[in-house]
Amino acid sequence: RVTAVGDMAAKKCGSGCSGCAVGETAEEPEPPKPVVSRAPPADRKLHGEIRLPAETVDGYEISIAANIELPHEIHTALEWGARGIGLYRTEFLYEKGEPDEETHFRTYRKAVEELGGRYLVIRTLDAGADKFHREAGGHHERNPFLGCRSIRLCFQRPDLFRSQLRAVLRASTLGPVRLMLPMISSLDELRRAKAMLAQVEKDLERE
C-alpha cells in the first residue's frame, strides 16, 4: 500500500522496502517457493555405517562410548552404535534436593539393565557454581568454579559422597560399572577418595 508523507510517500510491502515517490504503486511480492533438497540427509548415511566395526586400517579396534547427562539418552547412544557410556553425569539427581542411596541405586541399576552388558562409567557429583553447591557448601565463595566443588565438596559433605559410592558399588554387582572422580588435583585427593571408597566397600561387605 502507499502512505503519503508530505510530498513523498512511503511504500510498504511484504519485503519491507520503503521511500518511494507519491504515485508509484507497490506490487505484493510472490511468496518464496520451497526449496526441495534431493540430497539424502547426512544422518541417513551415518546410520548405514554405525554397525561397522570401529577400527583402524591396520585392525586396531576403538571403543566408542557416549557422554550423557540424562537417563533417556542411553537409548539414543545405543541407537547410534555406542559401545557403552563413557561418562554418566549424575548432577540431575540433585536438582530437587539431596538424593538418598536408593534413588542413586535405582537410577544406576536401570542404566546397567538398559546397557545390557555394555560398560557404564559413573561420574560422582560434579556440582559447581549453582544453588545446590552454595547450600551444600555452607558458605559463599567468590569463585565456586575454583573453590569447594566436585571432589572437594564431596570431602566436605562425606554423607553425600558415601551415599553415592554405596549405590555405585551396589550397581557394579549387576554389570560392568566404573567410577570417575571429577576435579582431582593432587595425589592426596586421589588417595583420600580411594580410601573412602575402600571403607564403603568394607561396610557393604559386612552388611
Side-chain angles (χ1 to χ4, degrees):
R1 66 181 185 274
V2 178
T3 304
V5 183
D7 294 332
M8 295 291 292
K11 179 179 69 176
K12 298 180 180 179
C13 60
S15 61
C17 57
S18 62
C20 301
V22 176
E24 291 183 0
T25 58
E27 296 181 359
E28 292 292 334
E30 296 182 2
K33 296 180 179 180
V35 178
V36 179
S37 174
R38 299 184 183 278
D43 61 351
R44 188 179 304 172
K45 179 182 178 182
L46 292 175
H47 260 291
E49 299 177 353
I50 58 178
R51 300 304 172 192
L52 296 177
E55 60 182 24
T56 61
V57 292
D58 58 350
Y60 182 80
E61 185 177 358
I62 301 171
S63 178
I64 300 179
N67 293 356
I68 65 171
E69 188 170 0
L70 297 171
H72 71 269
E73 296 172 344
I74 294 177
H75 174 76
T76 304
L78 297 181
E79 186 180 37
W80 282 92
R83 299 289 297 274
I85 300 301
L87 170 58
Y88 191 9
R89 299 175 176 86
T90 58
E91 289 71 48
F92 72 93
L93 292 169
Y94 298 82
E95 289 179 352
K96 296 182 180 179
E98 300 177 6
D100 58 17
E101 179 183 333
E102 290 304 314
T103 300
H104 280 288
F105 176 68
R106 287 193 300 268
T107 302
Y108 307 151
R109 179 181 61 190
K110 183 177 179 181
V112 170
E113 292 172 350
E114 191 169 351
L115 285 169
R118 301 173 183 86
Y119 65 88
L120 171 67
V121 181
I122 300 173
R123 185 180 70 184
T124 57
L125 176 63
D126 189 18
D130 52 22
K131 183 174 184 291
F132 171 78
H133 169 268
R134 290 193 298 272
E135 291 179 349
H139 62 277
H140 174 74
E141 291 185 305
R142 295 181 62 183
N143 189 347
F145 287 103
L146 298 177
C148 183
R149 62 166 296 169
S150 304
I151 195 65
R152 301 182 196 112
L153 175 59
C154 290
F155 291 154
Q156 184 166 318
R157 290 290 308 274
D159 55 323
L160 291 178
F161 196 32
R162 290 193 186 96
S163 292
Q164 187 167 25
L165 292 179
R166 285 176 60 91
V168 172
L169 288 174
R170 290 170 60 192
S172 69
T173 65
L174 307 175
V177 174
R178 305 171 189 174
L179 184 68
M180 179 184 293
L181 301 170
M183 295 290 290
I184 295 288
S185 60
S186 68
L187 182 58
D188 287 341
E189 286 183 345
L190 178 59
R191 287 172 174 168
R192 184 177 178 184
K194 292 180 69 174
M196 294 182 70
L197 180 63
Q199 184 60 53
V200 167
E201 186 175 9
K202 290 180 180 179
D203 293 342
L204 286 172
E205 289 174 352
R206 286 195 294 263
E207 294 177 3

